[in-house]
């Protein structure tokens, strides 16, 4: 069996912490962060985006076909950077406490929010080392999100055809979601059809009960 921490020959030529992996992670993380703000203000919670970031990064480099092949370890670094950026929306309170304070009339400048976000990020990194040692090395706990991300990376690298199919499905779903957003923006009644009022439950409708046609909430529920 292989010893823990030793790279196999196919990975030794490429540094996992390569500039392309970090930059790709930052770009994907930018998108995941924006998605989380929009989704979080609707649902009250957010997604780390690990699986999404892994799939997007692998599909991106598969399409680019670089001279030096993109490796599984680089994909892991990429999704780590992206999910860290995406999780900052929750860690910094951008989908909970900060909007609540805004509704109460309190306003904060961009620099204040950046300083607050940097402080939270430093605190998370500072505690990551002891927590990793306890939970992963000593207790050896299996985290569902990490396990799912690892299986996604392995499966996409094991079968290139399947990886392209998965990325294609992701692109089609994104196009459908974008189309739904444009449709509901042009025709607001499509977003919240008067189902309860039509069924004679006008009192329930006045209390805010209804059905919202939103692809974002459907995708979040599936995840």
């Amino acid at each position: 069996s292989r010893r823990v921490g030793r790279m196999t020959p196919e990975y030794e030529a490429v540094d996992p912490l390569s500039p392309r992996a970090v930059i790709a992670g930052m770009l994907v993380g930018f998108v995941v962060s924006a998605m989380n703000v929009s989704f979080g203000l609707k649902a009250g919670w957010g997604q780390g985006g690990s699986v999404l970031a892994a799939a997007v990064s692998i599909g991106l480099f598969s399409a680019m076909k670089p001279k030096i092949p993109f490796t599984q370890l680089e994909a892991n670094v990429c999704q780590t950077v992206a999910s860290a950026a995406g999780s900052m929306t929750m860690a910094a309170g951008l989908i909970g406490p900060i909007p609540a304070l805004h509704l109460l009339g309190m306003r904060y400048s961009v620099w204040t929010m950046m300083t607050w976000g940097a402080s939270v990020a430093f605190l998370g990194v500072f505690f990551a080392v002891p927590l990793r040692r306890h939970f992963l090395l000593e207790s050896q706990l299996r985290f569902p999100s990490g396990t799912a991300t690892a299986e996604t990376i392995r499966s996409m690298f094991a079968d290139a055809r399947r990886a392209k199919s998965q990325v294609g499905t992701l692109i089609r779903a994104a196009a459908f979601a974008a189309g739904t957003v444009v449709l509901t923006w042009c025709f607001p009644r499509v977003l919240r059809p008067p189902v309860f009022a039509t069924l004679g439950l006008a009192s329930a409708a006045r209390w805010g009960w209804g059905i919202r046609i939103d692809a974002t909430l459907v995708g979040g529920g599936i995840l």
Side-chain angles (χ1 to χ4, degrees):
S1 60
R2 297 193 185 105
R3 290 182 297 174
V4 176
R6 181 169 181 172
M7 292 185 186
T8 53
E10 60 267 27
Y11 298 138
E12 291 180 350
V14 180
D15 180 12
L17 199 61
S18 62
R20 64 180 183 178
V22 175
I23 293 173
M26 293 171 62
L27 294 176
V28 176
F30 177 81
V31 177
V32 173
S33 297
M35 175 198 72
N36 261 343
V37 171
S38 176
F39 175 75
L41 291 176
K42 296 177 183 177
W45 58 283
Q47 296 284 345
S50 300
V51 175
L52 173 64
V56 170
S57 64
I58 295 172
L60 176 65
F61 281 98
S62 296
M64 293 172 58
K65 297 180 180 180
K67 184 177 180 180
I68 301 177
F70 192 62
T71 66
Q72 294 186 36
L73 297 180
E74 286 182 298
N76 185 49
V77 169
C78 182
Q79 69 83 19
T80 300
V81 174
S83 62
S87 299
M88 277 302 298
T89 56
M90 295 174 283
L94 300 181
I95 61 175
I98 301 301
L101 292 173
H102 184 83
L103 292 174
L104 292 175
M106 303 183 70
R107 303 290 187 270
Y108 300 97
S109 66
V110 175
W111 293 108
T112 301
M113 294 303 304
M114 289 178 62
T115 304
W116 164 247
S119 302
V120 173
F122 174 79
L123 186 65
V125 173
F126 182 80
F127 278 101
V129 176
L131 291 177
R132 174 184 177 274
R133 178 179 296 277
H134 174 72
F135 288 112
L136 297 182
L137 301 182
E138 297 176 0
S139 301
Q140 295 185 355
L141 299 180
R142 295 176 65 87
F143 290 88
S145 60
T147 302
T149 304
E151 290 300 324
T152 300
I153 294 175
R154 289 196 190 99
S155 65
M156 294 188 72
F157 273 90
D159 189 346
R161 184 177 300 177
R162 182 183 178 187
K164 291 181 179 179
S165 175
Q166 291 173 335
V167 173
T169 301
L170 187 64
I171 293 174
R172 288 191 293 271
F176 174 78
T180 303
V181 171
V182 173
L183 177 64
T184 54
W185 181 73
C186 295
F187 305 97
R189 287 181 65 86
V190 176
L191 180 63
R192 299 187 64 180
V195 176
F196 278 67
T198 304
L199 295 176
L201 302 174
S203 58
R206 285 195 297 270
W207 279 93
W209 292 93
I211 295 177
R212 183 184 179 96
I213 308 241
D214 196 327
T216 305
L217 299 180
V218 174
I222 293 174
L223 288 174

